Amino acid sequence: MVKVVKFGGSSLASAEQFKKVADIIHAEDSRRFVVPSAPGKRFSADTKVTDMLYTCYDVAAKGKDFDDKFNEIKKRYYEIIEGLGLDISLEKDFEAIKAGFIGKAGRDFAASRGEFLNGKVLAAYLGYEFIDAAEVIHFNDNGTFDAALTDTAMKERLNGIERAVIPGFYGVMPNDTIKTFSRGGSDITGSIVAAAVSADLYENWTDVSGFLIADPRIIDDPAPIRTITYKELRELSYMGATVLHEDAIFPVRKVGIPINIKNTNAPEDPGTMIVESTSQKPEFTITGIAGKKGFTVINIEKELMNAELGFGRKVLEVFEKNEINFEHMPSGIDTMSVIVSQAEFEPKEQEVLAGLHRNVKPDVIDIETDLALIAVVGRAMKSNRGTAGRIFAALAHSNVNVKMIDQGSSELNIIIGVSEAEFAPALKAIYDIFVTAKL
Ligand code: ASP
């Protein structure tokens, strides 16, 4: 049995947290490959080391004095090292990092040092080999992840190695510069390592006991999700559930390795299992609800639109040319609505309108902003009659006006558009009907 274990920033924020992590790793012999994040927040007003590094680098890149900020970062590591009673020095590394800052090695380089240093400390503490992610995680020239090269390099490097610490979040470009994934990207590294070593399980340790059915900032004490499929998770994380980086599922999913989200501060909790498929019946009809604000709807009307061949394509072409992703496209006989992110649309609004007039000569174009989208997700919806009926009855009872409905053909999710002001009441209404009332 081989497990890859990834620990997030709050799990490695202090010496005390490091001790919990070591206990977890030592509790099972199978926990052989460890992927750490940089030290995160120790308390809610604290700053993550990654953010400290970005800020410090920005000061350095302007040619200003960055000593104070740099020393703050050093302090974070030395506090951990001392707290663990370790006999190691990172002075040489700090010197090299400083030189990199002065030589403008880039923001990615700067941010990556958080994981690099934390990996070194953790490896020393565990007595595991340290493997620099720059040896094994590769990016292409254009900055995209190079899966093939990474897989070969990782397999080769890890061959014959019993136990190792591989820092998360970054890798190397063909020209040897350091490149990071997007924020939270250590989750992706963990997944890549798990796939490369054909792990039995990818454990992702964080500070919550897995996914919750709904956002706890909106719903009081929501129930946990014990088991979720990759597909359900993809829907939920796309819509804002943020426990795991959304790209982290691809490497393990391809090779059928499950992910277990676990809580470093409550290791006995079962957490959430993320699996390809399962025969386990979910406790409720819905697996989860998530949502996002900040959408705009562009409603296009044209008489006899239905008879015009290529209408939809011509509409979408305008969005494509302006590099705007479309989220949904509900349509009527003579109307078509395109739902896009407000932030993407706003700066190019007039270009899009002009493009639509040129391309499809609509009768009316009408724009509605401040829309929220809610995804109600559940593999059990397929076999349960009346799910949509219950959702809309609950929304009607709560006086929520539904502006858009979209059910995927997989019957895995129902997407509902409501005004941003009605976002929280809508989530509450849906949660209550399925979870509190168990209907
Ligand atoms: N340390 C990085 C961040 O704060 C990456 C990670 O923690 O996964 O985004």
Side-chain angles (χ1 to χ4, degrees):
M1 179 97 155
V2 180
K3 287 184 184 175
V4 169
V5 286
K6 180 260 166 180
F7 290 89
S10 57
S11 300
L12 294 164
S14 63
E16 214 178 296
Q17 290 298 86
F18 262 71
K19 288 179 188 161
K20 291 185 196 167
V21 165
D23 285 345
I24 290 166
I25 293 170
H26 292 140
E28 276 188 37
D29 201 45
S30 57
R31 294 184 173 132
R32 288 172 38 198
F33 298 99
V34 185
V35 176
S37 282
K41 293 185 182 191
R42 293 160 294 181
F43 40 90
S44 63
D46 201 11
T47 310
K48 294 179 176 186
V49 164
T50 309
D51 290 311
M52 296 169 86
L53 285 160
Y54 278 126
T55 315
C56 182
Y57 181 78
D58 291 344
V59 173
K62 284 189 194 129
K64 292 192 188 149
D65 178 60
F66 61 95
D67 273 354
D68 286 353
K69 294 211 163 1
F70 200 77
N71 287 336
E72 285 296 313
I73 296 166
K74 280 171 91 166
K75 218 168 105 193
R76 289 288 307 261
Y77 287 99
Y78 280 120
E79 255 172 40
I80 295 172
I81 291 170
E82 274 157 33
L84 296 174
L86 281 175
D87 187 22
I88 56 165
S89 165
L90 296 176
E91 271 319 297
K92 278 215 171 73
D93 293 302
F94 280 122
E95 267 166 44
I97 295 169
K98 208 167 200 178
F101 278 32
I102 293 164
K104 302 209 168 96
R107 288 189 103 222
D108 279 19
F109 165 79
S112 75
R113 296 305 90 184
E115 272 69 10
F116 174 82
L117 294 167
N118 225 22
K120 284 202 152 177
V121 178
L122 185 60
Y125 186 48
L126 294 170
Y128 282 21
E129 181 162 350
F130 171 79
I131 296 178
D132 187 353
E135 288 181 54
V136 286
I137 302 275
H138 292 272
F139 289 88
N140 294 304
D141 279 321
N142 63 4
T144 55
F145 172 59
D146 186 339
L149 181 56
T150 297
D151 202 54
T152 320
M154 183 92 70
K155 285 198 167 111
E156 215 170 275
R157 182 70 179 81
L158 294 182
N159 187 20
I161 290 184
E162 254 317 286
R163 292 166 195 282
V165 173
I166 305 155
F169 192 38
Y170 70 94
V172 71
M173 308 256 288
N175 65 1
D176 277 346
T177 52
I178 296 290
K179 162 101 190 119
T180 66
F181 292 108
S182 56
R183 294 300 302 266
S186 299
D187 286 341
I188 310 175
T189 309
S191 181
I192 294 165
V193 176
V197 302
S198 300
D200 297 280
L201 185 65
Y202 169 27
E203 283 180 347
N204 189 294
W205 292 81
T206 175
D207 52 9
V208 290
S209 294
F211 283 89
L212 300 170
I213 293 186
D215 186 338
R217 286 167 300 184
I218 299 173
I219 308 289
D220 271 349
D221 198 18
I225 301 176
R226 290 274 168 259
T227 309
I228 187 169
T229 64
Y230 285 126
K231 275 194 196 145
E232 290 173 311
L233 179 64
R234 176 105 179 94
E235 301 284 346
L236 287 175
S237 44
Y238 185 70
M239 282 305 241
T242 52
V243 178
L244 188 74
H245 193 297
E246 60 173 322
D247 292 341
I249 62 179
F250 298 110
V252 281
R253 180 180 181 172
K254 256 205 275 187
V255 288
I257 301 170
I259 306 174
N260 192 186
I261 308 285
K262 296 274 287 178
N263 188 349
T264 300
N265 306 317
E268 303 307 324
D269 285 357
T272 300
M273 278 298 272
I274 309 167
V275 298
E276 176 67 44
S277 62
T278 174
S279 58
Q280 270 185 50
K281 292 238 165 28
E283 206 179 330
F284 310 103
T285 308
I286 58 162
T287 304
I289 322 162
K292 266 205 269 196
K293 292 182 178 176
F295 293 97
T296 295
V297 195
I298 300 100
N299 296 308
I300 304 157
E301 273 181 50
K302 185 176 185 185
E303 220 169 288
L304 298 178
M305 174 192 290
N306 66 324
E308 197 175 319
L309 210 58
F311 191 91
R313 179 182 52 74
K314 286 184 227 159
V315 166
L316 290 183
E317 200 177 64
V318 176
F319 288 90
E320 186 182 352
K321 277 203 181 128
N322 284 287
E323 292 181 351
I324 301 171
N325 275 302
F326 83 96
E327 303 286 332
H328 295 279
M329 202 173 65
S331 61
I333 297 173
D334 288 336
T335 62
M336 182 174 280
S337 303
V338 183
I339 299 179
V340 294
S341 135
Q342 207 148 309
E344 276 184 39
F345 177 70
E346 251 167 27
K348 304 207 180 126
E349 173 186 272
Q350 295 309 317
E351 285 91 327
V352 172
L353 294 187
L356 287 171
H357 277 288
R358 245 188 326 248
N359 255 26
V360 295
K361 302 186 178 52
D363 297 333
V364 184
I365 303 180
D366 162 59
I367 299 176
E368 226 181 299
T369 56
D370 303 325
L371 184 83
L373 294 179
I374 296 171
V376 186
V377 177
R379 58 188 182 278
M381 288 192 329
K382 212 173 176 162
S383 50
N384 272 301
R385 239 166 294 175
T387 311
R390 272 171 283 161
I391 294 174
F392 296 114
L395 292 175
H397 280 140
S398 299
N399 278 325
V400 172
N401 182 25
V402 175
K403 289 178 176 283
M404 196 262 324
I405 305 167
D406 195 353
Q407 180 178 22
S409 52
S410 59
E411 286 186 60
L412 189 69
N413 66 355
I414 296 178
I415 312 272
I416 299 150
V418 299
S419 78
E420 286 185 356
E422 292 184 325
F423 179 62
L427 274 185
K428 281 197 185 99
I430 299 169
Y431 182 86
D432 281 344
I433 192 94
F434 289 107
V435 185
T436 315
K438 264 195 160 192
L439 285 177

